[in-house]
Amino acid sequence: MSAPSTAAAPGLRARLQGRSELGVAALLAVIAIVIAVDTANIRHTAINAGVMGPRVVPTIIAIGLGLCAIALAISVLRGGHADAEDGEDIDLSQQAHWPTVFGLGGLILVFALSMDFLGFVIGSALLFYGSALLLGSRRFVWALVIGILLAVGTFYGFVLGLGINLPAGLLTGIL
């Protein structure tokens, strides 16, 4: 008996080397499939009956993600690849600054846990302000003003523009 041939593996490995974008294409395809399956399981009831129905937007997103996955895979297999980032002001040889990473994660966790009590506007403004400070902003008042404006604008965009009620929290009756 002869040993199994391993000639195909190095050939495949050589062809795939330097094509890590295929992983991104695969991830996009998996997300598109998950969204499509979940969309197919949405029940159409009288409560959510509208002009378009509850399946239209997720279907469009799933199709768009699937097309992006296919286009990216074709581009990568034809030899296309992303250019290195020239404009980034980071040194890739340095490790991540873990206090900043964990600080941002903690801010997001506190935001999620305090959403009902504080409300969307206060929570989002504080999330933006804390993120700006953690990322190095020294314009304290300006960061707070921008956070408040973005939070109020987003709140009213959802409430008035989309008809989606966000929790007002401490500002109930004021907003």
Side-chain angles (χ1 to χ4, degrees):
M1 293 236 298
S2 63
S5 173
T6 58
L12 177 64
R13 186 174 291 164
R15 280 190 310 194
L16 293 178
Q17 186 169 358
R19 295 184 176 173
S20 60
E21 291 96 343
L22 287 175
V24 175
L27 180 64
L28 287 174
V30 167
I31 293 172
I33 291 168
V34 168
I35 291 174
V37 169
D38 284 348
T39 300
N41 292 329
I42 294 176
R43 291 184 298 157
H44 194 73
T45 63
I47 294 172
N48 60 18
V51 177
M52 296 189 310
R55 295 181 183 170
V56 174
V57 173
T59 301
I60 292 170
I61 291 171
I63 291 170
L65 284 173
L67 291 174
C68 286
I70 292 168
L72 180 59
I74 290 171
S75 173
V76 170
L77 292 173
R78 285 185 172 176
H81 60 84
D83 293 330
E85 295 289 331
D86 291 333
E88 291 291 333
D89 190 23
I90 58 171
D91 184 8
L92 294 177
S93 64
Q94 297 291 322
Q95 291 187 350
H97 188 253
W98 293 111
T100 302
V101 173
F102 289 128
L104 290 171
L107 277 174
I108 293 170
L109 182 64
V110 167
F111 171 72
L113 294 175
S114 65
M115 174 75 77
D116 288 333
F117 174 70
L118 292 178
F120 181 82
V121 172
I122 294 174
S124 296
L126 292 175
L127 176 66
F128 181 87
Y129 182 68
S131 299
L133 295 183
L134 276 172
L135 294 172
S137 173
R138 295 294 162 236
R139 302 176 82 183
F140 304 114
V141 175
W142 190 239
L144 185 60
V145 168
I146 291 173
I148 292 170
L149 291 175
L150 284 173
V152 170
T154 303
F155 180 82
Y156 281 119
F158 272 88
V159 172
L160 299 177
L162 298 174
I164 298 172
N165 290 327
L166 296 174
L170 296 176
L171 298 178
T172 300
I174 298 173
L175 295 175

